[in-house]
């Protein structure tokens, strides 16, 4: 028999991998449907642990806060201002940008994040439909 904590950790990881750029709260809410006994603090702690182990990538996206990403290599994000959906941007990660910031600030740059904001296709279509009514 698998230890209960191990099973909970597995459910949390599976859920985080299944959802698209979820926040810890979104993982928690989805996990509750599989195991109503899991506490919010447990979900948050386990997610932090997976991020520290490198099984998930913790990224900060303004207005979303911390999200947990299954794509582990550094990349940029786009967030819909209307529905809050976060997606990946197919843009090369710009190491040269970090190098330039390092040269100009004298600070050793360890990482950088870049987020774009807009309206996704679904929201745009919905707005156009609503405008016609
Ligand atoms: Zn949207
Ligand atoms: Zn991503």
């Amino acid at each position: 028999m698998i230890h209960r904590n191990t099973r909970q950790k597995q459910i949390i990881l599976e859920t985080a991998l299944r959802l698209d750029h979820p926040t810890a709260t979104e993982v928690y809410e989805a996990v509750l449907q599989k195991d109503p006994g899991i506490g919010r603090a447990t979900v948050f702690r386990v997610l932090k642990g997976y991020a520290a182990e490198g099984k998930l990538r913790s990224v900060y996206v303004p207005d979303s806060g911390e999200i947990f990403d299954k794509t582990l290599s550094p990349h940029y994000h786009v967030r819909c201002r209307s529905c809050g959906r976060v997606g990946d941007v197919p843009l090369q990660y710009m190491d040269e940008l970090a190098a330039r910031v390092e040269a100009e600030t004298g600070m050793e740059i360890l990482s950088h994040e870049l987020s774009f904001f807009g309206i996704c296709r679904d929201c745009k279509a919905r707005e156009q439909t609503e405008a016609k009514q």
Side-chain angles (χ1 to χ4, degrees), residues 81-99:
R81 281 272 192 233
S82 184
C83 67
R85 189 189 300 168
V86 174
D88 290 337
V89 174
L91 195 68
Q92 184 101 38
Y93 194 73
M94 294 179 279
D95 290 317
E96 68 278 12
L97 191 62

Side-chain angles (χ1 to χ4, degrees), residues 3-14:
H3 194 269
R4 179 166 160 77
N5 286 345
T6 308
R7 214 183 91 73
Q8 285 190 339
K9 280 189 76 177
Q10 275 173 358
I11 291 173
I12 292 166
L13 183 60
E14 280 164 15

Side-chain angles (χ1 to χ4, degrees), residues 53-108:
E53 288 168 28
K55 288 200 171 96
L56 292 169
R57 187 176 174 84
S58 160
V59 183
Y60 181 80
V61 175
D63 297 335
S64 286
E66 186 180 32
I67 57 165
F68 293 90
D69 206 321
K70 59 181 151 245
T71 304
L72 301 177
S73 56
H75 59 280
Y76 302 125
H77 290 99
V78 64
R79 184 181 193 278
C80 177
R81 281 272 192 233
S82 184
C83 67
R85 189 189 300 168
V86 174
D88 290 337
V89 174
L91 195 68
Q92 184 101 38
Y93 194 73
M94 294 179 279
D95 290 317
E96 68 278 12
L97 191 62
R100 193 169 150 190
V101 171
E102 189 159 307
E104 291 187 10
T105 63
M107 188 180 285
E108 183 189 358

